[in-house]
Amino acid sequence: MTSFDPQSVPVRCAHFIGGQYRDGAPRLDITRPSDGQVYAGLPVADADLVDEIVENAWNAFKTSDWRSRPPRERARVMRRWADLIEADTAILAPLEAVGSTRPIGECLSFDVPFAAEGVRFFAEFADKVGGEVASTASDHLGMQISEPYGVIAAIAPWNFPLNMACWKIAPALAAGNAVVLKPSEMTPFSCLRMAELAVQAGLPPGIFNVVQGDGRTTGDALCRHPKVAKVTFTGSTATGASIMSACALTGPKPVTLELGGKSPQLVFADAPDLIRTARSIARAITGNAGQVCVSGSRLIVQRAAYEPLVAEIQRAFALLQPGRTWDSHTSLAPIISATQLQRIGGIVERAQAAGAEVLCGGGTDPRLEGGCFYQPTLLGNVDARNPAVLEEIFGPVLTVQVFDDEEEGLALADHPVYGLAAGVHTADLGRALRAVRRLEAGTVWVNRYGRSADWIIPTGGYKRSGIGKDLGRAAYEANLRFKSVLIDIGQH
Ligand code: NAD
């Protein structure tokens, strides 16, 4: 497939509460980044509606058998849900693409199947991870038993609407919790469809709810609700700090925070295949137009490799085809909003004022009328204090710094604030392992950049890039509380 007509995609502007759609008066205009057209209006839940939804979820948690069901039965429902998501691709993929930055080709090949697989992955933990028996004295039996929290609030960003939501809701539900999800107000619709499919799969009504609204009104009320036992969030570091503070003041209650990044790609002159490395670096900054938390946005290259690497990256940039998300030929996505487009331009201007040289790109792309497109951009002659090196840009802008020896390269790779991910490219195993040990990042990729389809490897940030992990066993366990039990079994 298959391009589609954006007008042909029906969107339901509603919340999803207690297993049903709940319409609300449209309060926010929702705009398509591909052409700047307003295509829907979104209701915004106020504190009263948030209260109703959380109470409803709490009642479903208490009165349905979701948490007490045999875990394999919970897993079976989740697997059925994953099958329904996949079978629904023809509806879900255009719904995901139409108002987001995700091109239809990628929604079909990646976003929808990856979301479904995530649900399956976490379902498998339901009957495999529980508590443990402690090694106590023989007249006691000590145990840790695992239990769900109750109602978990999940707050998601716009950059991969379905997947970022699934990374939160799938482990929470598999562990027996009820969930209230607030998608981003910029990409609110595909998650509603997923919630509808969850009920079709057999999830009790009220166990998975979607509440719509902006962060300040709806998101904040959700975090502060006394019956929300835990908040799991993906988004910017600044919002993460607000959420943590709201959770501290109204709890304290636990948080998982997946936040921003400014990840380095450290390339040594002996990198195994410079052309392959250059293409991987280009993909890592232009995938979703750089709107990926783990974008490799700082290239740090050893002097001897600088010229061939930079030339090959520019060649890869030139092959990209900006396009609307409903066009199957699109290989460079739009920027999410006009505001974000301006922000990217502003940082590039400040970077230039601080001495940066634009090696290619450096401006908006006017070819697609009404849309928000920024050219893949390479900025040279930057030092560690340049705004483009320090700030998360969340656009297709790559800075290039040059180093001579290993120590200098590693020092440049270190960022004062962020520590989400890093890439190291070298044929020297010892050097790669020294870098792995030195780099302060939650994930380090060696001679590659980006996740594999192995859900078992957790992701999460060091420093101000986050607290806790998504994916892997760690994400499942983060949705459980552990109760210690000590039983006196007496003496014969
Ligand atoms: P954002 O922080 O602006 O918004 C994220 C979500 O938080 C939205 O649903 C928003 O409505 C909500 N929100 C905003 N203010 C709130 C408040 N005070 N209380 C409660 N909720 C609130 O982020 P964004 O622009 O949607 O996403 C981009 C950011 O997300 C980037 O910084 C990116 O690095 C980060 N991100 C991180 C990861 C990761 O795994 N570490 C993954 C994807 C995106």
Side-chain angles (χ1 to χ4, degrees):
M1 150 151 156
T2 163
S3 304
F4 66 93
D5 172 4
Q7 313 290 354
S8 70
V9 180
V11 288
R12 181 87 190 246
C13 307
H15 313 280
F16 194 84
I17 307 171
Q20 289 178 337
Y21 285 102
R22 169 91 61 92
D23 293 322
R27 296 251 182 270
L28 290 178
D29 283 347
I30 310 300
T31 305
R32 297 192 294 241
S34 290
D35 64 359
Q37 296 291 312
V38 173
Y39 73 107
L42 190 72
V44 174
D46 61 11
D48 287 344
L49 184 54
V50 168
D51 181 50
E52 184 192 327
I53 296 174
V54 175
E55 286 290 345
N56 196 297
W58 170 252
N59 284 334
F61 176 72
K62 285 286 181 194
T63 59
S64 81
D65 64 344
W66 183 243
R67 67 186 159 140
S68 57
R69 254 181 222 198
R72 288 195 68 75
E73 173 53 23
R74 253 196 340 258
R76 195 172 302 126
V77 170
M78 304 260 316
R79 286 198 302 271
R80 213 178 294 139
W81 183 26
D83 292 346
L84 288 178
I85 292 172
E86 259 171 6
D88 201 57
T89 301
I91 292 176
L92 263 177
L95 195 55
E96 179 78 333
V98 69
S100 75
T101 60
R102 306 295 305 133
I104 183 65
E106 292 178 37
C107 289
L108 289 165
S109 64
F110 170 74
D111 297 65
V112 175
F114 208 60
E117 198 55 27
V119 171
R120 274 189 205 106
F121 172 82
F122 283 111
E124 287 157 15
F125 283 106
D127 67 334
K128 296 181 187 65
V129 172
E132 60 180 39
V133 174
S135 72
T136 54
S138 60
D139 55 348
H140 300 130
L141 178 62
M143 295 183 291
Q144 270 210 320
I145 56 176
S146 64
E147 295 177 341
Y149 274 95
V151 180
I152 292 189
I155 300 183
W158 48 263
N159 61 340
F160 293 87
L162 277 178
N163 274 288
M164 292 298 101
C166 270
W167 291 14
K168 303 294 190 194
I169 59 189
L173 292 172
N177 296 284
V179 173
V180 179
L181 166 71
K182 195 200 86 59
S184 167
E185 58 275 35
M186 289 191 264
T187 52
F189 300 121
S190 51
C191 290
L192 284 172
R193 178 76 181 167
M194 260 205 340
E196 189 185 342
L197 297 175
V199 173
Q200 278 180 30
L203 212 77
I207 288 294
F208 174 29
N209 309 275
V210 181
V211 62
Q212 306 286 10
D214 60 61
R216 242 178 248 170
T217 317
T218 312
D220 188 60
L222 190 55
C223 294
R224 288 174 192 272
H225 196 286
K227 285 204 173 124
V228 165
K230 174 172 182 175
V231 176
T232 174
F233 167 76
T234 299
S236 63
T237 296
T239 305
S242 301
I243 286 177
M244 196 168 175
S245 143
C247 288
L249 292 173
T250 57
K253 56 185 88 157
V255 288
T256 294
L257 303 175
E258 299 297 337
L259 309 177
K262 191 73 196 173
S263 304
Q265 292 255 37
L266 192 54
V267 182
F268 289 89
D270 68 351
D273 177 342
L274 222 49
I275 291 184
R276 196 170 149 262
T277 304
R279 289 179 185 163
S280 150
I281 288 168
R283 268 197 309 278
I285 189 63
T286 55
N288 207 27
Q291 300 162 112
V292 183
C293 54
V294 293
S295 276
S297 52
R298 294 186 296 130
L299 172 58
I300 296 161
V301 54
Q302 201 161 22
R303 197 169 300 278
Y306 173 85
E307 275 188 24
L309 192 72
V310 162
E312 195 56 38
I313 291 172
Q314 293 191 34
R315 266 194 283 280
F317 280 1
L319 293 175
L320 291 167
Q321 184 64 48
R324 310 202 199 270
T325 49
W326 45 86
D327 180 344
S328 65
H329 297 105
T330 296
S331 56
L332 183 67
I335 303 300
I336 186 67
S337 66
T339 310
Q340 173 60 6
L341 189 66
Q342 263 177 7
R343 190 180 156 269
I344 295 171
I347 298 177
V348 171
E349 274 171 27
R350 284 193 283 122
Q352 285 176 274
E357 181 191 350
V358 176
L359 302 175
C360 69
T364 53
D365 190 328
R367 282 177 291 174
L368 291 141
E369 204 193 329
C372 301
F373 292 89
Y374 201 86
Q375 298 166 345
T377 296
L378 211 48
L379 296 178
N381 198 32
V382 288
D383 62 23
R385 282 157 305 158
N386 190 287
V389 173
L390 281 175
E391 296 174 32
E392 186 185 43
I393 299 177
F394 231 53
V397 179
L398 180 65
T399 57
V400 194
Q401 293 165 277
V402 182
F403 69 93
D404 289 303
D405 62 32
E406 185 176 317
E407 186 53 37
E408 190 189 356
L410 287 167
L412 286 174
D414 194 31
H415 190 279
V417 171
Y418 295 117
L420 193 54
V424 182
H425 305 265
T426 176
D428 181 333
L429 180 62
R431 175 185 279 152
L433 290 175
R434 285 193 295 278
V436 166
R437 286 195 173 154
R438 259 290 283 283
L439 289 164
E440 279 207 73
T443 296
V444 180
W445 288 299
V446 178
N447 293 332
R448 61 173 289 123
Y449 197 87
R451 294 189 185 94
S452 64
D454 303 300
W455 286 81
I456 195 66
I457 302 173
T459 177
Y462 275 23
K463 298 182 178 173
R464 278 176 251 173
S465 287
I467 296 176
K469 299 284 185 188
D470 270 350
L471 305 184
R473 181 183 168 127
Y476 181 77
E477 286 178 338
N479 287 283
L480 289 168
R481 301 180 288 184
F482 290 87
K483 182 178 279 173
S484 298
V485 180
L486 190 60
I487 304 170
D488 198 335
I489 55 178
Q491 304 282 351
H492 276 300

